[in-house]
Amino acid sequence: AQSVAQPEDQVNVAEGNPLTVKCTYSVSGNPYLFWYVQYPNRGLQFLLKYITGDNLVKGSYGFEAEFNKSQTSFHLKKPSALVSDSALYFCGVRDMNNNAGNMLTFGGGTRLMVKP
Amino acid sequence: EPEVTQTPSHQVTQMGQEVILRCVPISNHLYFYWYRQILGQKVEFLVSFYNNEISEKSEIFDDQFSVERPDGSNFTLKIRSTKLEDSAMYFCASSGGRSNEQFFGPGTRLTVL
């Protein structure tokens, strides 16, 4: 079984400050991890993913995420937040085991509010 | 940039009626998916489809649901007899491979009255 936890329902940050949106996961095999963003009345937009390689992955719009195997975490970060980053962020996981399916399991989402 | 499209954007139906939600995945993608998001809740996996058959489905995807790829471009989700609790945003997604990221459509908001 695979699961994702996003412990914060909402994160508030001032524009220009760094932001972190937390995510922890659980899979039986190796994880395939990703972040999506959802703007109001829109679908999910892919931000970034981790499969293998460098633990720090860079994605769209200046976002990055750090894979930490020992802490089973994949926190989303950005050095300097913009008001336009305000949206709902979903962390997700898939088990890379060949016998596992393709289903993505999402966390409950974290609403990011960036204030001017 | 290629994108997944979905129609209609909003569907209102009476309880017990059948609905078909339509999706056009990205043209060279091979894996297709349906997810749903009940208002205010997380996005939940329904079904994945590859090589003209269901490859995986969740416990939500019961006998009332079916999927079809009727031609080379469309991918549909049918709900045979809608229930009030089927009201949700339904997202279609596609990917080029198992390890590739899934691209999501804008969603169809289904309202069952």
Side-chain angles (χ1 to χ4, degrees), chain A residues 43-55:
Chain A
L44 281 75
Q45 295 180 36
F46 171 77
L47 275 182
L48 52 79
K49 68 180 179 184
Y50 170 84
I51 300 180
T52 60
D54 288 341
N55 289 342

Side-chain angles (χ1 to χ4, degrees), chain B residues 74-94:
Chain B
N74 291 285
F75 180 51
T76 61
L77 174 69
K78 181 192 290 185
I79 309 175
R80 258 181 278 282
S81 178
T82 50
K83 303 186 284 284
L84 295 176
E85 53 265 38
D86 293 327
S87 295
M89 183 74 90
Y90 288 80
F91 293 107
C92 174
S94 69

Side-chain angles (χ1 to χ4, degrees), chain A residues 37-107:
Chain A
V37 59
Q38 185 180 33
Y39 295 99
N41 301 312
R42 302 286 299 276
L44 281 75
Q45 295 180 36
F46 171 77
L47 275 182
L48 52 79
K49 68 180 179 184
Y50 170 84
I51 300 180
T52 60
D54 288 341
N55 289 342
L56 184 65
V57 293
K58 295 186 183 297
S60 308
Y61 313 120
F63 284 93
E64 56 189 32
E66 185 165 13
F67 170 62
N68 187 316
K69 188 172 183 178
S70 61
Q71 297 185 4
T72 61
S73 67
F74 190 58
H75 302 330
L76 182 70
K77 300 181 181 184
K78 187 173 182 180
S80 178
L82 300 172
V83 172
S84 56
D85 292 330
S86 298
L88 191 55
Y89 290 80
F90 289 96
C91 179
V93 70
R94 210 199 89 202
D95 193 330
M96 287 297 290
N97 185 312
N98 282 333
N99 294 325
N102 284 2
M103 62 176 285
L104 301 181
T105 298
F106 289 95

Side-chain angles (χ1 to χ4, degrees), chain B:
Chain B
E1 186 175 333
E3 58 184 18
V4 177
T5 60
Q6 291 185 242
T7 54
S9 57
H10 193 185
Q11 173 95 42
V12 181
T13 190
Q14 295 290 324
M15 189 170 58
Q17 295 296 304
E18 174 183 286
V19 295
I20 297 176
L21 310 182
R22 291 182 167 78
C23 168
V24 179
I26 294 173
S27 63
N28 61 347
H29 283 184
L30 301 175
Y31 293 80
F32 314 112
Y33 314 86
W34 283 101
Y35 292 81
R36 78 171 186 191
Q37 184 181 32
I38 295 172
L39 187 63
Q41 298 186 24
K42 69 166 84 174
V43 177
E44 300 173 293
F45 171 80
L46 291 178
V47 66
S48 62
F49 191 87
Y50 170 72
N51 201 24
N52 285 321
E53 61 183 19
I54 291 174
S55 50
E56 190 178 13
K57 59 183 181 180
S58 72
E59 58 190 22
I60 302 170
F61 194 88
D62 61 22
D63 292 344
Q64 293 297 313
F65 291 87
S66 63
V67 289
E68 193 178 32
R69 188 153 163 83
D71 53 43
S73 61
N74 291 285
F75 180 51
T76 61
L77 174 69
K78 181 192 290 185
I79 309 175
R80 258 181 278 282
S81 178
T82 50
K83 303 186 284 284
L84 295 176
E85 53 265 38
D86 293 327
S87 295
M89 183 74 90
Y90 288 80
F91 293 107
C92 174
S94 69
S95 66
R98 280 191 81 236
S99 299
N100 293 18
E101 58 268 30
Q102 295 178 18
F103 290 88
F104 284 74
T108 293
R109 182 170 298 285
L110 175 65
T111 302
V112 182
L113 303 176

